[in-house]
């Protein structure tokens, strides 16, 4: 009897690990590492396999929006600070800090310039926006790209976590310098 119950339990569909989150009406402004919605209105939500297929075409821009860790305040003089290397999707353009809920004008300009560089200033060029799994930075940045007028936005909510889980290639990337 216990054995039959165990077999039935193992055959049952696995529970969804992620929580169902409704799309907010505005940008997310806190708790950026939390369950994200299943979709982004007017964008195409993709999984790792779809992201890999788009990447293999070589005709889609990939934009990584993982924030950059700030240098800790109060480091003793002479302390060497090294940023943690960012392993990402090969060829991706890293635009850190553009996924916050509120952006300074200079960060809006930086994001717009980065999207122009990634897409050749073609707002119809396909662009994949990503970060990590359960990272609102990519949802915010995808929404912002749509508001900037980009028409072919793909949102990859599993980001580099999903990418590396599938053992797809990665490389160390550096942020696009601020002009």
């Amino acid at each position: 009897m216990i054995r039959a119950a165990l077999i039935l339990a193992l055959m049952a569909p696995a529970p969804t690990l992620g929580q169902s989150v409704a799309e907010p009406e505005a940008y997310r402004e806190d708790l950026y590492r939390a369950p994200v919605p299943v979709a982004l209105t007017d964008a195409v939500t993709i999984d790792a396999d779809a992201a890999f297929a788009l990447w293999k075409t070589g005709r889609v821009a990939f934009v990584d929006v993982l924030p950059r860790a700030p240098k800790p305040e109060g480091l003793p003089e002479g302390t060497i600070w090294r940023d943690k290397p960012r392993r990402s999707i090969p060829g991706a353009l890293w635009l850190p800090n553009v996924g916050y809920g509120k952006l300074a004008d200079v960060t809006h300009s930086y994001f717009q310039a980065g999207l122009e560089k990634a897409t050749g200033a073609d707002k119809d060029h396909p662009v994949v926006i990503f970060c990590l799994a359960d990272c609102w930075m990519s949802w915010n940045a995808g929404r912002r790209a749509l508001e900037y007028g980009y028409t072919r936005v793909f949102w990859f909510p599993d980001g580099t976590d999903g990418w590396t889980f599938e053992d797809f290639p990665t490389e160390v990337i550096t942020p696009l310098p601020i002009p």
Side-chain angles (χ1 to χ4, degrees), residues 3 11 21 25 32 49-50 56 58 60 63 72 79 85 88 94 102 110 125-126 132 141 144 146 151 160 169 173-174:
R3 186 173 184 209
M11 292 176 58
V21 176
E25 292 183 20
Y32 293 104
D49 288 331
K56 286 194 317 186
V60 179
V63 176
T79 301
S88 190
W94 186 14
K102 292 183 181 178
Y110 172 71
H125 187 88
L132 302 170
R144 195 165 276 123
L146 290 162
T151 61
T160 52
I173 61 173
T174 57

Side-chain angles (χ1 to χ4, degrees), residues 1 5 23 39 53 62 92 94 99 120 160 175-176:
M1 181 103 160
E23 268 194 280
F62 279 72
W94 186 14
T160 52
L176 180 70

Side-chain angles (χ1 to χ4, degrees), residues 4 8 10 14 17-18 22 39 41 54 73 76 85 92 95 99-100 115 134 140 144 148 151 161 167:
L8 286 174
L10 291 173
L17 295 177
T41 300
L54 290 170
E73 292 182 27
L95 302 175
Y100 286 105
L115 286 172
D134 289 332
N140 282 346
R144 195 165 276 123
Y148 291 160
T151 61
D161 291 331
D167 203 28

Side-chain angles (χ1 to χ4, degrees), residues 43-133:
V44 177
T45 304
I46 59 173
D47 63 11
D49 288 331
F52 186 66
L54 290 170
W55 176 78
K56 286 194 317 186
T57 70
R59 296 187 309 235
V60 179
F62 279 72
V63 176
D64 189 335
V65 298
L66 180 76
R68 193 172 192 182
K71 182 177 179 181
E73 292 182 27
L75 288 177
E77 188 174 329
T79 301
I80 297 172
W81 169 255
R82 290 189 177 97
D83 286 319
K84 181 180 177 184
R86 172 67 173 142
R87 292 205 69 81
S88 190
I89 298 169
L93 185 64
W94 186 14
L95 302 175
N97 307 328
V98 300
Y100 286 105
K102 292 183 181 178
L103 298 183
D105 289 343
V106 67
T107 308
H108 273 290
S109 297
Y110 172 71
F111 189 26
Q112 289 170 330
L115 286 172
E116 287 176 7
K117 179 180 174 80
T119 64
D122 177 1
K123 289 191 175 183
D124 294 324
H125 187 88
V127 59
V128 174
I129 307 284
F130 67 96
C131 182
L132 302 170

Side-chain angles (χ1 to χ4, degrees), residues 2 13 15 29 36 73 85-86 96 110 148 158 165:
I2 292 174
E29 295 183 18
V36 296
E73 292 182 27
R86 172 67 173 142
Y110 172 71
Y148 291 160
D158 290 334
F165 179 81

